[in-house]
Amino acid sequence: FVGYDTQKVRFLQLVLSAFFAGIAGALSCINFEIVSAENVSAIRSGGVLLAAFIGGIPFFFGPVIGSVIFIFFVAALSGFTKAWLLYLGLFFCLMVLYAPGGVASILLMQIGLVRAGRFGRMAGSYAFSAAAALVALAGLIGLVESVYRLSDVTSNPVMHAFGLTLNAREPGVYVASILLLAGGLAAMRFAARRVSARWDAVQQELKAAA
């Protein structure tokens, strides 16, 4: 309806995507020096899609950001915990539910505030939200890691986290983790309302200034 040749647009999309996929494959060969059936498996393809959705499919640099986050989970976090897949899945679910545009959409939303000099109005609310999320995350990590330690008989129930030495067999660990998780989620709910109200106020100011 707008006059574009859809076949030409789709052809160019295919060519460009194949171009970047070819570069990625060549760099992968240089890095690993081997290509096996695992490189074209469903797990690898699913991981690529997961990274693209996390970063933000509507934006060119979204999958790049998603790849960095995905590799962090695979390469870095997997060395510290066996539950890294669970954390990755939960992070993906949060992004789909609350930021379907991916991390890139969140970053782009802040560019307008920075250019208008209004980002400072949101900084306090963002900081409070981040603190609440860290509290909830600490409780979640305590619960997940304790359960994983108990489910694996070969694992040592004693774990070191947040500068503390914790024993997965002690009920106090679960009580403290549940309290942290519940308190963090309650604070996040309050923080979300605060961020939403402050965001609406800032947007009204920008419209009035325009």
Side-chain angles (χ1 to χ4, degrees), residues 107-157:
L107 296 177
L108 288 176
M109 289 172 63
Q110 313 310 316
I111 293 179
L113 296 180
V114 174
R115 290 178 177 175
R118 297 292 199 282
F119 185 79
R121 296 283 308 277
M122 300 294 302
S125 300
Y126 287 157
F128 181 76
S129 301
L134 288 176
V135 172
L137 182 62
L140 177 65
I141 292 175
L143 279 176
V144 171
E145 295 302 324
S146 299
V147 171
Y148 263 75
R149 296 268 179 168
L150 289 182
S151 62
D152 188 358
V153 294
T154 61
S155 296
N156 185 4

Side-chain angles (χ1 to χ4, degrees), residues 27-47:
L27 293 176
S28 177
C29 291
I30 295 173
N31 186 26
F32 298 105
E33 298 182 353
I34 186 174
V35 177
S36 63
E38 191 271 337
N39 292 88
V40 292
S41 64
I43 296 178
R44 178 63 62 88
S45 300

Side-chain angles (χ1 to χ4, degrees), residues 44-62:
R44 178 63 62 88
S45 300
V48 172
L49 290 175
L50 201 67
F53 272 102
I54 290 175
I57 288 181
F59 309 98
F60 176 78
F61 62 91

Side-chain angles (χ1 to χ4, degrees), residues 26-210:
L27 293 176
S28 177
C29 291
I30 295 173
N31 186 26
F32 298 105
E33 298 182 353
I34 186 174
V35 177
S36 63
E38 191 271 337
N39 292 88
V40 292
S41 64
I43 296 178
R44 178 63 62 88
S45 300
V48 172
L49 290 175
L50 201 67
F53 272 102
I54 290 175
I57 288 181
F59 309 98
F60 176 78
F61 62 91
V64 178
I65 299 175
S67 298
V68 173
I69 298 174
F70 184 79
I71 293 300
F72 166 76
F73 278 98
V74 174
L77 196 61
S78 61
F80 293 97
T81 174
K82 297 179 180 179
W84 67 273
L85 274 174
L86 174 62
Y87 296 129
L88 176 60
L90 291 176
F91 182 72
F92 173 72
C93 291
L94 289 175
M95 294 303 300
V96 171
L97 289 173
Y98 299 106
V103 177
S105 65
I106 299 177
L107 296 177
L108 288 176
M109 289 172 63
Q110 313 310 316
I111 293 179
L113 296 180
V114 174
R115 290 178 177 175
R118 297 292 199 282
F119 185 79
R121 296 283 308 277
M122 300 294 302
S125 300
Y126 287 157
F128 181 76
S129 301
L134 288 176
V135 172
L137 182 62
L140 177 65
I141 292 175
L143 279 176
V144 171
E145 295 302 324
S146 299
V147 171
Y148 263 75
R149 296 268 179 168
L150 289 182
S151 62
D152 188 358
V153 294
T154 61
S155 296
N156 185 4
V158 178
M159 53 185 175
H160 303 279
F162 311 110
L164 302 174
T165 301
L166 307 174
N167 192 333
R169 301 184 189 277
E170 296 179 357
V173 175
Y174 298 92
V175 174
S177 298
I178 291 174
L179 290 176
L180 284 174
L181 180 59
L185 291 176
M188 286 176 62
R189 187 178 181 86
F190 174 77
R193 295 176 180 175
R194 181 177 176 181
V195 169
S196 179
R198 185 64 59 85
W199 178 269
D200 292 339
V202 171
Q203 294 300 316
Q204 290 296 330
E205 292 178 3
L206 293 178
K207 289 181 179 179

